[in-house]
Amino acid sequence: MTGEPRVRTVLGDIDPAELGVTDSHDHLFFASKLLPGQELDDPAAAAEALLDFKTRGGSALVQWTPYGLTRRTRELAWMSREIGVHVVAATGLHRAEHYNPAILGRVVDGLVKEFVADLTEGTQPADLPDEPRTGPRAGLVKVAGAFHTIDPHARLTMTAAAVAHQDTGAPIAVHLELGTAGLETVELLCGKLDVPPEKVILGHLNRNPDARLQREIAETGVFLGFDGPSRANHATDWRLFDGLEALVEAGHGGQILLGGDTTTAAARFQPGASYLLTTLAPRLTTLLGGDVVTAMLVANPARAFATSWRK
């Protein structure tokens, strides 16, 4: 690798120390064919959400929206500049079910090339594949597992993500479907594809609140994403605190990341990114102590999303 570690934001590479209080997994824009009528595709609403996050003390937001799901990277750059919040964008590919077959078919045979171009040259809308790459560069690769398994699509995308990581140094963020297949994902990415554990972030661990499994995953050394904490119907809030407390007591506090994971327009009426700072952080501070929670929001993201970029 070349040079000191940097976080690749939509406005350029920054020192990890500049990242500050970070929502480590969220979506300002997201649209999937699985969620008709629930698209996050309103720049004004997105800007309002980002501004509210800033007024609550937020400094950075990492959008995990990958290729083809309306990531709107140009709008992300505009909002980042105008509002004064660091934003990290993603390349990568979600589960196949989220995509129009035409978009998926166009890119699936050239995933490594697409991921690396997004990371090193610039992004472009999926529906305009011949347009010049004038959008900002992505700062991570987001892929997804299947429910309790690594299906052929997940194996394909994770393998491409691993190659893109080897080419660029980019971190890899993984959507675990309902929090499952975490160990299987680590075995593939780190065991078979030689991605260092510290370059892997597993999302949605709180959706499968198996304390023994969470600790076993933590012992592999990957970063642990706990996101969407205001979704009571996902059994997250009432088990989140015990799970985080157990991981901290086991010595894994330095691997934990917190995120809001707003994914639908209906979620605009839920707490969203600001909930992390107005409600979750104070409660966790009472339970775990201020230094531990500050690490989850500041020091841990600075390490998780930084790399010594090869390109």
Side-chain angles (χ1 to χ4, degrees), residues 27 29-36 64-71 90-108 111 114-115 118 124-127 141-145 153-154 156-157 175:
H27 303 270
F29 299 104
F30 184 88
S32 164
K33 75 181 186 70
L34 293 183
L35 300 165
W64 283 33
T65 306
Y67 177 91
L69 298 181
T70 313
R71 53 190 170 172
T91 185
L93 212 65
H94 212 312
R95 291 166 48 221
E97 296 91 328
H98 284 284
Y99 289 93
N100 179 305
I103 290 178
L104 191 62
R106 185 164 60 233
V107 73
V108 74
L111 289 183
E114 184 67 35
F115 295 172
D118 276 350
Q124 62 186 174
D127 57 347
V141 184
K142 185 261 185 73
V143 289
H153 177 81
L156 175 67
T157 60
H175 163 100

Short mmCIF file of all heavy atoms in Angstrom, two decimals, residues 27 29-36 64-71 90-108 111 114-115 118 124-127 141-145 153-154 156-157 175:
data_model
loop_
_atom_site.label_atom_id
_atom_site.label_comp_id
_atom_site.label_asym_id
_atom_site.label_seq_id
_atom_site.Cartn_x
_atom_site.Cartn_y
_atom_site.Cartn_z
N HIS A 27 -28.49 5.28 4.87
CA HIS A 27 -28.86 5.52 3.48
C HIS A 27 -29.60 6.85 3.40
O HIS A 27 -30.68 7.01 3.99
CB HIS A 27 -29.78 4.41 2.95
CG HIS A 27 -29.20 3.04 3.05
ND1 HIS A 27 -28.44 2.48 2.05
CD2 HIS A 27 -29.27 2.12 4.05
CE1 HIS A 27 -28.06 1.27 2.44
NE2 HIS A 27 -28.56 1.03 3.64
N PHE A 29 -30.09 7.87 0.22
CA PHE A 29 -30.80 7.48 -1.01
C PHE A 29 -30.78 5.96 -1.12
O PHE A 29 -29.75 5.33 -0.88
CB PHE A 29 -30.13 8.10 -2.24
CG PHE A 29 -30.13 9.60 -2.22
CD1 PHE A 29 -28.97 10.31 -1.94
CD2 PHE A 29 -31.28 10.32 -2.50
CE1 PHE A 29 -28.95 11.68 -1.92
CE2 PHE A 29 -31.27 11.70 -2.49
CZ PHE A 29 -30.11 12.39 -2.20
N PHE A 30 -31.92 5.39 -1.50
CA PHE A 30 -32.00 3.93 -1.67
C PHE A 30 -33.32 3.62 -2.37
O PHE A 30 -34.38 4.10 -1.96
CB PHE A 30 -31.97 3.22 -0.32
CG PHE A 30 -31.96 1.72 -0.40
CD1 PHE A 30 -30.77 1.03 -0.50
CD2 PHE A 30 -33.15 1.00 -0.35
CE1 PHE A 30 -30.75 -0.36 -0.58
CE2 PHE A 30 -33.15 -0.39 -0.42
CZ PHE A 30 -31.95 -1.07 -0.52
N ALA A 31 -33.26 2.82 -3.42
CA ALA A 31 -34.48 2.41 -4.12
C ALA A 31 -34.31 0.99 -4.62
O ALA A 31 -33.35 0.67 -5.32
CB ALA A 31 -34.78 3.34 -5.29
N SER A 32 -35.24 0.11 -4.25
CA SER A 32 -35.19 -1.29 -4.63
C SER A 32 -36.54 -1.72 -5.19
O SER A 32 -37.59 -1.27 -4.70
CB SER A 32 -34.85 -2.15 -3.40
OG SER A 32 -35.14 -3.51 -3.63
N LYS A 33 -36.51 -2.62 -6.15
CA LYS A 33 -37.76 -3.14 -6.69
C LYS A 33 -38.52 -3.97 -5.66
O LYS A 33 -39.72 -4.23 -5.83
CB LYS A 33 -37.50 -3.95 -7.96
CG LYS A 33 -36.90 -5.33 -7.78
CD LYS A 33 -36.68 -5.98 -9.13
CE LYS A 33 -36.20 -7.43 -8.99
NZ LYS A 33 -37.26 -8.32 -8.48
N LEU A 34 -37.86 -4.35 -4.56
CA LEU A 34 -38.55 -5.07 -3.49
C LEU A 34 -39.39 -4.14 -2.62
O LEU A 34 -40.21 -4.61 -1.82
CB LEU A 34 -37.53 -5.78 -2.60
CG LEU A 34 -36.74 -6.93 -3.21
CD1 LEU A 34 -35.85 -7.56 -2.16
CD2 LEU A 34 -37.68 -7.98 -3.80
N LEU A 35 -39.17 -2.82 -2.77
CA LEU A 35 -39.85 -1.84 -1.92
C LEU A 35 -40.53 -0.77 -2.77
O LEU A 35 -40.23 0.42 -2.66
CB LEU A 35 -38.84 -1.20 -0.96
CG LEU A 35 -38.12 -2.17 -0.01
CD1 LEU A 35 -36.91 -1.49 0.61
CD2 LEU A 35 -39.07 -2.69 1.05
N PRO A 36 -41.46 -1.16 -3.63
CA PRO A 36 -42.11 -0.18 -4.50
C PRO A 36 -42.87 0.87 -3.71
O PRO A 36 -43.56 0.57 -2.74
CB PRO A 36 -43.07 -1.04 -5.34
CG PRO A 36 -43.32 -2.26 -4.51
CD PRO A 36 -42.03 -2.52 -3.79
N TRP A 64 -24.35 3.07 2.63
CA TRP A 64 -24.05 1.73 2.13
C TRP A 64 -24.84 1.39 0.87
O TRP A 64 -24.92 0.22 0.49
CB TRP A 64 -24.37 0.69 3.21
CG TRP A 64 -23.37 0.57 4.31
CD1 TRP A 64 -22.61 1.56 4.85
CD2 TRP A 64 -23.05 -0.62 5.04
NE1 TRP A 64 -21.83 1.08 5.88
CE2 TRP A 64 -22.08 -0.26 6.01
CE3 TRP A 64 -23.49 -1.93 4.98
CZ2 TRP A 64 -21.55 -1.19 6.90
CZ3 TRP A 64 -22.96 -2.86 5.87
CH2 TRP A 64 -21.99 -2.49 6.82
N THR A 65 -25.45 2.34 0.21
CA THR A 65 -26.21 2.06 -1.01
C THR A 65 -25.23 1.72 -2.14
O THR A 65 -24.44 2.56 -2.54
CB THR A 65 -27.06 3.27 -1.42
OG1 THR A 65 -27.87 3.66 -0.31
CG2 THR A 65 -27.95 2.92 -2.61
N PRO A 66 -25.30 0.50 -2.70
CA PRO A 66 -24.35 0.10 -3.73
C PRO A 66 -24.84 0.45 -5.13
O PRO A 66 -25.88 1.10 -5.32
CB PRO A 66 -24.27 -1.41 -3.54
CG PRO A 66 -25.66 -1.78 -3.14
CD PRO A 66 -26.19 -0.61 -2.32
N TYR A 67 -24.11 0.00 -6.10
CA TYR A 67 -24.42 0.20 -7.51
C TYR A 67 -25.85 -0.20 -7.82
O TYR A 67 -26.35 -1.24 -7.37
CB TYR A 67 -23.45 -0.63 -8.35
CG TYR A 67 -23.70 -0.58 -9.84
CD1 TYR A 67 -23.07 0.36 -10.65
CD2 TYR A 67 -24.57 -1.50 -10.44
CE1 TYR A 67 -23.30 0.39 -12.02
CE2 TYR A 67 -24.80 -1.47 -11.82
CZ TYR A 67 -24.17 -0.51 -12.59
OH TYR A 67 -24.40 -0.47 -13.94
N GLY A 68 -26.54 0.64 -8.59
CA GLY A 68 -27.82 0.27 -9.15
C GLY A 68 -29.03 0.46 -8.27
O GLY A 68 -30.14 0.14 -8.68
N LEU A 69 -28.85 1.00 -7.06
CA LEU A 69 -29.97 1.19 -6.14
C LEU A 69 -30.17 2.66 -5.77
O LEU A 69 -30.58 3.00 -4.67
CB LEU A 69 -29.79 0.33 -4.88
CG LEU A 69 -29.76 -1.18 -5.12
CD1 LEU A 69 -29.61 -1.93 -3.81
CD2 LEU A 69 -30.99 -1.66 -5.87
N THR A 70 -29.88 3.53 -6.76
CA THR A 70 -30.12 4.99 -6.61
C THR A 70 -29.27 5.58 -5.50
O THR A 70 -29.77 6.16 -4.54
CB THR A 70 -31.61 5.28 -6.37
OG1 THR A 70 -32.40 4.56 -7.32
CG2 THR A 70 -31.91 6.76 -6.54
N ARG A 71 -27.95 5.48 -5.65
CA ARG A 71 -27.06 6.01 -4.61
C ARG A 71 -26.85 7.51 -4.72
O ARG A 71 -26.43 8.14 -3.76
CB ARG A 71 -25.72 5.28 -4.64
CG ARG A 71 -25.06 5.26 -5.99
CD ARG A 71 -23.86 4.35 -6.07
NE ARG A 71 -23.40 4.18 -7.43
CZ ARG A 71 -22.29 3.56 -7.77
NH1 ARG A 71 -21.52 3.03 -6.84
NH2 ARG A 71 -21.94 3.45 -9.03
N ALA A 90 -20.67 4.21 -1.53
CA ALA A 90 -20.32 2.81 -1.75
C ALA A 90 -20.42 2.43 -3.22
O ALA A 90 -21.22 2.96 -3.98
CB ALA A 90 -21.25 1.90 -0.95
N THR A 91 -19.59 1.48 -3.60
CA THR A 91 -19.82 0.68 -4.79
C THR A 91 -20.26 -0.69 -4.29
O THR A 91 -20.64 -0.87 -3.15
CB THR A 91 -18.57 0.59 -5.67
OG1 THR A 91 -18.90 -0.11 -6.88
CG2 THR A 91 -17.40 -0.07 -4.98
N GLY A 92 -20.26 -1.69 -5.17
CA GLY A 92 -20.66 -3.01 -4.75
C GLY A 92 -22.00 -3.42 -5.33
O GLY A 92 -22.56 -2.74 -6.19
N LEU A 93 -22.52 -4.53 -4.85
CA LEU A 93 -23.78 -5.07 -5.36
C LEU A 93 -24.52 -5.75 -4.21
O LEU A 93 -23.93 -6.49 -3.43
CB LEU A 93 -23.51 -6.09 -6.47
CG LEU A 93 -24.55 -6.20 -7.59
CD1 LEU A 93 -24.62 -4.90 -8.39
CD2 LEU A 93 -24.23 -7.37 -8.50
N HIS A 94 -25.83 -5.48 -4.14
CA HIS A 94 -26.68 -6.06 -3.10
C HIS A 94 -27.14 -7.46 -3.54
O HIS A 94 -26.72 -7.98 -4.57
CB HIS A 94 -27.88 -5.13 -2.87
CG HIS A 94 -28.39 -5.12 -1.47
ND1 HIS A 94 -28.63 -6.27 -0.75
CD2 HIS A 94 -28.74 -4.09 -0.64
CE1 HIS A 94 -29.08 -5.96 0.46
NE2 HIS A 94 -29.16 -4.65 0.54
N ARG A 95 -28.06 -8.04 -2.79
CA ARG A 95 -28.68 -9.31 -3.18
C ARG A 95 -29.36 -9.14 -4.53
O ARG A 95 -29.93 -8.09 -4.84
CB ARG A 95 -29.69 -9.73 -2.12
CG ARG A 95 -29.10 -10.13 -0.80
CD ARG A 95 -30.16 -10.20 0.30
NE ARG A 95 -31.33 -10.94 -0.14
CZ ARG A 95 -32.59 -10.57 0.15
NH1 ARG A 95 -32.83 -9.46 0.83
NH2 ARG A 95 -33.60 -11.32 -0.26
N ALA A 96 -29.38 -10.19 -5.32
CA ALA A 96 -29.92 -10.13 -6.67
C ALA A 96 -31.38 -9.71 -6.70
O ALA A 96 -31.84 -9.04 -7.64
CB ALA A 96 -29.77 -11.49 -7.35
N GLU A 97 -32.14 -10.06 -5.65
CA GLU A 97 -33.57 -9.77 -5.62
C GLU A 97 -33.88 -8.29 -5.66
O GLU A 97 -35.00 -7.89 -6.00
CB GLU A 97 -34.20 -10.38 -4.35
CG GLU A 97 -34.14 -11.89 -4.29
CD GLU A 97 -32.90 -12.41 -3.59
OE1 GLU A 97 -31.85 -11.75 -3.68
OE2 GLU A 97 -32.98 -13.48 -2.97
N HIS A 98 -32.93 -7.45 -5.31
CA HIS A 98 -33.17 -6.02 -5.27
C HIS A 98 -33.16 -5.36 -6.65
O HIS A 98 -33.56 -4.21 -6.79
CB HIS A 98 -32.12 -5.32 -4.40
CG HIS A 98 -32.35 -5.51 -2.93
ND1 HIS A 98 -33.31 -4.82 -2.24
CD2 HIS A 98 -31.73 -6.31 -2.02
CE1 HIS A 98 -33.28 -5.17 -0.97
NE2 HIS A 98 -32.34 -6.08 -0.81
N TYR A 99 -32.69 -6.09 -7.69
CA TYR A 99 -32.37 -5.43 -8.95
C TYR A 99 -33.34 -5.75 -10.08
O TYR A 99 -33.87 -6.85 -10.19
CB TYR A 99 -30.96 -5.84 -9.40
CG TYR A 99 -29.88 -5.24 -8.56
CD1 TYR A 99 -29.37 -5.95 -7.48
CD2 TYR A 99 -29.38 -3.97 -8.82
CE1 TYR A 99 -28.37 -5.41 -6.68
CE2 TYR A 99 -28.39 -3.42 -8.02
CZ TYR A 99 -27.89 -4.14 -6.96
OH TYR A 99 -26.92 -3.59 -6.16
N ASN A 100 -33.49 -4.74 -10.93
CA ASN A 100 -34.08 -4.97 -12.24
C ASN A 100 -33.12 -5.89 -13.01
O ASN A 100 -31.92 -5.63 -13.06
CB ASN A 100 -34.24 -3.63 -12.97
CG ASN A 100 -34.81 -3.77 -14.35
OD1 ASN A 100 -34.30 -4.50 -15.19
ND2 ASN A 100 -35.88 -3.05 -14.61
N PRO A 101 -33.61 -6.97 -13.60
CA PRO A 101 -32.72 -7.92 -14.29
C PRO A 101 -31.84 -7.27 -15.36
O PRO A 101 -30.70 -7.70 -15.57
CB PRO A 101 -33.69 -8.92 -14.91
CG PRO A 101 -34.89 -8.88 -14.03
CD PRO A 101 -35.02 -7.44 -13.60
N ALA A 102 -32.33 -6.21 -16.01
CA ALA A 102 -31.53 -5.57 -17.05
C ALA A 102 -30.28 -4.93 -16.46
O ALA A 102 -29.18 -5.02 -17.03
CB ALA A 102 -32.37 -4.53 -17.78
N ILE A 103 -30.43 -4.26 -15.32
CA ILE A 103 -29.28 -3.62 -14.67
C ILE A 103 -28.31 -4.68 -14.16
O ILE A 103 -27.09 -4.59 -14.36
CB ILE A 103 -29.75 -2.71 -13.53
CG1 ILE A 103 -30.46 -1.48 -14.10
CG2 ILE A 103 -28.57 -2.29 -12.65
CD1 ILE A 103 -31.00 -0.53 -13.06
N LEU A 104 -28.85 -5.71 -13.54
CA LEU A 104 -27.99 -6.76 -13.00
C LEU A 104 -27.25 -7.47 -14.13
O LEU A 104 -26.04 -7.71 -14.03
CB LEU A 104 -28.84 -7.75 -12.21
CG LEU A 104 -28.10 -8.77 -11.37
CD1 LEU A 104 -27.28 -8.08 -10.30
CD2 LEU A 104 -29.09 -9.74 -10.74
N GLY A 105 -27.94 -7.77 -15.20
CA GLY A 105 -27.32 -8.47 -16.32
C GLY A 105 -26.22 -7.68 -16.98
O GLY A 105 -25.23 -8.24 -17.47
N ARG A 106 -26.36 -6.36 -16.98
CA ARG A 106 -25.37 -5.51 -17.64
C ARG A 106 -24.05 -5.47 -16.89
O ARG A 106 -22.98 -5.28 -17.49
CB ARG A 106 -25.94 -4.09 -17.77
CG ARG A 106 -25.06 -3.14 -18.56
CD ARG A 106 -25.82 -1.90 -18.98
NE ARG A 106 -26.35 -1.16 -17.86
CZ ARG A 106 -27.64 -0.80 -17.72
NH1 ARG A 106 -28.52 -1.17 -18.62
NH2 ARG A 106 -28.04 -0.12 -16.68
N VAL A 107 -24.08 -5.65 -15.57
CA VAL A 107 -22.88 -5.43 -14.79
C VAL A 107 -22.28 -6.72 -14.21
O VAL A 107 -21.10 -6.75 -13.87
CB VAL A 107 -23.17 -4.43 -13.65
CG1 VAL A 107 -24.01 -5.08 -12.55
CG2 VAL A 107 -21.90 -3.85 -13.05
N VAL A 108 -23.06 -7.79 -14.13
CA VAL A 108 -22.65 -8.94 -13.34
C VAL A 108 -21.40 -9.63 -13.88
O VAL A 108 -20.64 -10.23 -13.11
CB VAL A 108 -23.83 -9.92 -13.21
CG1 VAL A 108 -24.07 -10.68 -14.52
CG2 VAL A 108 -23.61 -10.88 -12.06
N LEU A 111 -17.87 -7.31 -12.63
CA LEU A 111 -17.99 -6.69 -11.31
C LEU A 111 -16.68 -6.07 -10.82
O LEU A 111 -16.68 -4.95 -10.29
CB LEU A 111 -18.48 -7.72 -10.28
CG LEU A 111 -19.93 -8.17 -10.43
CD1 LEU A 111 -20.29 -9.14 -9.30
CD2 LEU A 111 -20.87 -6.98 -10.41
N GLU A 114 -16.04 -2.82 -12.55
CA GLU A 114 -16.99 -1.80 -12.11
C GLU A 114 -16.64 -1.29 -10.71
O GLU A 114 -16.61 -0.08 -10.46
CB GLU A 114 -18.41 -2.36 -12.11
CG GLU A 114 -19.49 -1.34 -11.76
CD GLU A 114 -19.65 -0.27 -12.82
OE1 GLU A 114 -19.49 -0.57 -14.02
OE2 GLU A 114 -19.91 0.89 -12.44
N PHE A 115 -16.37 -2.21 -9.80
CA PHE A 115 -16.04 -1.80 -8.43
C PHE A 115 -14.77 -0.94 -8.40
O PHE A 115 -14.73 0.10 -7.75
CB PHE A 115 -15.84 -3.03 -7.54
CG PHE A 115 -17.06 -3.89 -7.34
CD1 PHE A 115 -16.95 -5.12 -6.69
CD2 PHE A 115 -18.31 -3.50 -7.79
CE1 PHE A 115 -18.07 -5.92 -6.49
CE2 PHE A 115 -19.44 -4.30 -7.60
CZ PHE A 115 -19.31 -5.51 -6.95
N ASP A 118 -15.34 2.54 -9.83
CA ASP A 118 -16.07 3.38 -8.88
C ASP A 118 -15.16 3.89 -7.77
O ASP A 118 -15.29 5.03 -7.31
CB ASP A 118 -17.21 2.59 -8.24
CG ASP A 118 -18.48 2.57 -9.08
OD1 ASP A 118 -18.56 3.32 -10.07
OD2 ASP A 118 -19.40 1.80 -8.73
N GLN A 124 -20.91 6.59 -11.63
CA GLN A 124 -21.85 6.99 -12.66
C GLN A 124 -23.19 6.33 -12.37
O GLN A 124 -23.23 5.27 -11.73
CB GLN A 124 -21.37 6.60 -14.05
CG GLN A 124 -21.21 5.11 -14.22
CD GLN A 124 -20.61 4.69 -15.54
OE1 GLN A 124 -20.33 3.53 -15.73
NE2 GLN A 124 -20.38 5.59 -16.46
N PRO A 125 -24.31 6.88 -12.81
CA PRO A 125 -25.61 6.23 -12.59
C PRO A 125 -25.68 4.90 -13.34
O PRO A 125 -25.19 4.77 -14.46
CB PRO A 125 -26.61 7.24 -13.17
CG PRO A 125 -25.88 8.54 -13.19
CD PRO A 125 -24.45 8.20 -13.44
N ALA A 126 -26.32 3.91 -12.73
CA ALA A 126 -26.41 2.59 -13.35
C ALA A 126 -27.22 2.61 -14.63
O ALA A 126 -26.99 1.78 -15.52
CB ALA A 126 -27.03 1.60 -12.36
N ASP A 127 -28.16 3.56 -14.73
CA ASP A 127 -28.98 3.61 -15.94
C ASP A 127 -28.33 4.41 -17.06
O ASP A 127 -28.90 4.56 -18.14
CB ASP A 127 -30.37 4.18 -15.62
CG ASP A 127 -30.31 5.56 -15.00
OD1 ASP A 127 -29.21 5.98 -14.58
OD2 ASP A 127 -31.36 6.20 -14.91
N VAL A 141 -16.68 -1.04 -0.60
CA VAL A 141 -17.43 -2.00 -1.42
C VAL A 141 -18.48 -2.65 -0.53
O VAL A 141 -18.14 -3.22 0.51
CB VAL A 141 -16.53 -3.09 -2.01
CG1 VAL A 141 -17.34 -4.00 -2.94
CG2 VAL A 141 -15.35 -2.49 -2.75
N LYS A 142 -19.75 -2.55 -0.92
CA LYS A 142 -20.83 -3.17 -0.13
C LYS A 142 -21.39 -4.37 -0.90
O LYS A 142 -21.77 -4.26 -2.07
CB LYS A 142 -21.94 -2.15 0.12
CG LYS A 142 -23.07 -2.68 1.03
CD LYS A 142 -24.25 -3.12 0.22
CE LYS A 142 -25.43 -3.54 1.10
NZ LYS A 142 -26.11 -2.42 1.73
N VAL A 143 -21.41 -5.51 -0.26
CA VAL A 143 -21.99 -6.72 -0.83
C VAL A 143 -22.93 -7.34 0.19
O VAL A 143 -23.10 -6.80 1.29
CB VAL A 143 -20.89 -7.72 -1.26
CG1 VAL A 143 -20.14 -7.22 -2.48
CG2 VAL A 143 -19.92 -8.00 -0.11
N ALA A 144 -23.55 -8.48 -0.13
CA ALA A 144 -24.57 -9.03 0.75
C ALA A 144 -24.57 -10.54 0.73
O ALA A 144 -24.37 -11.17 -0.31
CB ALA A 144 -25.95 -8.52 0.32
N GLY A 145 -24.84 -11.12 1.89
CA GLY A 145 -25.03 -12.55 1.99
C GLY A 145 -26.50 -12.90 1.83
O GLY A 145 -27.36 -12.03 1.74
N HIS A 153 -24.88 -16.04 -5.90
CA HIS A 153 -24.77 -14.61 -6.15
C HIS A 153 -23.87 -13.95 -5.10
O HIS A 153 -23.00 -13.13 -5.44
CB HIS A 153 -26.15 -13.96 -6.13
CG HIS A 153 -26.12 -12.47 -6.31
ND1 HIS A 153 -26.00 -11.87 -7.55
CD2 HIS A 153 -26.18 -11.45 -5.40
CE1 HIS A 153 -26.00 -10.56 -7.39
NE2 HIS A 153 -26.10 -10.28 -6.11
N ALA A 154 -24.06 -14.30 -3.85
CA ALA A 154 -23.22 -13.74 -2.79
C ALA A 154 -21.76 -14.14 -2.96
O ALA A 154 -20.84 -13.34 -2.76
CB ALA A 154 -23.73 -14.18 -1.42
N LEU A 156 -20.27 -14.79 -5.76
CA LEU A 156 -19.77 -14.02 -6.89
C LEU A 156 -19.42 -12.60 -6.47
O LEU A 156 -18.32 -12.10 -6.77
CB LEU A 156 -20.81 -13.99 -8.00
CG LEU A 156 -20.50 -13.13 -9.22
CD1 LEU A 156 -19.32 -13.71 -9.99
CD2 LEU A 156 -21.73 -13.02 -10.12
N THR A 157 -20.33 -11.94 -5.77
CA THR A 157 -20.08 -10.54 -5.41
C THR A 157 -18.99 -10.41 -4.35
O THR A 157 -18.19 -9.47 -4.39
CB THR A 157 -21.38 -9.87 -4.92
OG1 THR A 157 -21.89 -10.55 -3.77
CG2 THR A 157 -22.43 -9.86 -6.02
N HIS A 175 -23.78 -6.70 4.05
CA HIS A 175 -25.14 -6.86 4.55
C HIS A 175 -25.35 -8.32 4.88
O HIS A 175 -25.26 -9.18 3.99
CB HIS A 175 -26.14 -6.40 3.47
CG HIS A 175 -27.55 -6.88 3.70
ND1 HIS A 175 -28.52 -6.08 4.24
CD2 HIS A 175 -28.15 -8.07 3.43
CE1 HIS A 175 -29.66 -6.74 4.30
NE2 HIS A 175 -29.45 -7.96 3.82
#
